Amino acid sequence: MLCRSLAALLVIPLTAMPMFVAARLGDSSTSAATPVATSLPGTGTAFADGSQHRLEDSWLPAAPAHSHGYEHTASSTQYGHTPATACGGVDTSKLVESTGYFAVASAQAMQHVYTSYGGCGWECHDESGNEVEFCEYSQCASNNAARGCRCKQVGACWCGQASPANNASTGTASMGCFSCARARFLRARPYPDGSNTSDTEFVGEEIKVVVADACPHAPNSQWCPARPGDVNSCGLKNHLDFTVYPAGLGIDNNFVVFTPEPCSEELQQRIAATSKCSS
């Protein structure tokens, strides 16, 4: 199963715009979990309104209903470090080296404003060639959209920033390029295998993340919502695509809770020195 955090881009000089790599998911393994103080049930079938939606499900795991004291809940994937990202061409490994941060790509809906290189749009068609606004999915985390639907990216999705629509009323976090957050993984994962389904336990300790890349909707329509307020195939409004997961915890697309916060001064200095995004 693949989650491509970065799609094919417009033809732009390499000094200004990098070539991007395909994302990949992590390997499954057993997680050691720490109980959360309060037991909270999953949502079952409840979904927020949004243009992107899923079909009636024959099976769907319950997405976490609450954020355990954090502001937001997101689905997660992993794609590996890249030497040049959509957030100004930064090298994700060098950006976070020895800082304690994990570099992530945030969903297009979380960094909704793109003012250069053709913006960040999408075109979707079903298997008959009929244009549709969004693809639909019958299962959380499925790679197969209904009616053979596929989407194509339009624009470079370069240096995305949050918009005023990224707020509590839409439920979509404000996490544009070089936004930071504190986060923690839940034991729950989006798979119907009967294991690791609890959203009442944490896995590992709290971590810090920095948005260093984009997860465009078109090549990641099952994971990354397009607009503030839209939901993905798991019914969540936020998605974080990790370059790497915390080691030794068996993280495999686990749900994650997070709260935005300022980046460290050291990280801000690295961003200023390496990013080609205009300030």
Side-chain angles (χ1 to χ4, degrees):
M1 188 183 298
L2 295 178
C3 174
R4 295 166 294 176
S5 281
L6 299 165
L9 301 179
L10 299 177
V11 179
I12 298 170
L14 292 180
T15 55
M17 179 70 66
M19 297 297 291
F20 296 124
V21 298
R24 60 185 182 275
L25 301 185
D27 296 326
S28 177
S29 61
T30 303
S31 302
T34 303
V36 175
T38 305
S39 178
L40 297 170
T43 58
T45 58
F47 267 75
D49 291 338
S51 296
Q52 185 189 0
H53 58 287
R54 51 172 218 206
L55 301 173
E56 290 298 319
D57 301 305
S58 57
W59 173 87
L60 187 76
H66 299 283
S67 299
H68 306 302
Y70 291 82
E71 291 183 8
H72 302 281
T73 304
S75 48
S76 81
T77 44
Q78 177 183 246
Y79 71 104
H81 279 296
T82 181
T85 74
C87 288
V90 298
D91 182 315
T92 56
S93 181
K94 292 179 180 179
L95 178 67
V96 299
E97 184 178 8
S98 301
T99 65
Y101 280 83
F102 288 83
V104 301
S106 64
Q108 181 173 339
M110 301 164 73
Q111 48 168 288
H112 188 54
V113 177
Y114 301 88
T115 59
S116 59
Y117 298 115
C120 189
W122 65 94
E123 295 177 354
C124 302
H125 295 83
D126 64 20
E127 60 191 355
S128 298
N130 299 313
E131 186 173 355
V132 296
E133 186 175 17
F134 293 104
C135 294
E136 297 176 319
Y137 292 86
S138 62
Q139 289 189 353
C140 173
S142 172
N143 281 333
N144 300 312
R147 295 181 292 278
C149 182
R150 293 182 179 275
C151 299
K152 179 179 70 174
Q153 183 175 317
V154 179
C157 303
W158 178 253
C159 296
Q161 295 297 315
S163 78
N166 294 107
N167 56 42
S169 65
T170 64
T172 302
S174 176
M175 290 290 285
C177 284
F178 308 122
S179 298
C180 289
R182 55 186 181 87
R184 201 170 183 187
F185 284 98
L186 300 176
R187 185 176 178 84
R189 301 189 298 123
Y191 301 117
D193 58 6
S195 64
N196 296 326
T197 59
S198 173
D199 69 352
T200 64
E201 293 177 313
F202 286 131
V203 179
E205 300 301 319
E206 185 174 274
I207 61 174
K208 292 184 180 294
V209 301
V210 56
V211 176
D213 213 339
C215 184
H217 172 72
N220 306 289
S221 58
Q222 75 273 46
W223 290 112
C224 294
R227 304 175 302 200
D230 287 354
V231 297
N232 64 17
S233 66
C234 298
L236 293 173
K237 297 180 177 182
N238 300 287
H239 181 82
L240 297 176
D241 196 5
F242 282 72
T243 50
V244 295
Y245 282 135
L249 298 176
I251 302 298
D252 183 17
N253 306 126
N254 294 51
F255 296 111
V256 60
V257 291
F258 67 97
T259 296
E261 66 176 16
C263 299
S264 70
E265 182 175 347
E266 178 185 9
L267 196 57
Q268 292 180 44
Q269 292 174 351
R270 291 191 186 188
I271 291 166
T274 59
S275 172
K276 296 181 177 64
C277 293
S278 58
S279 57

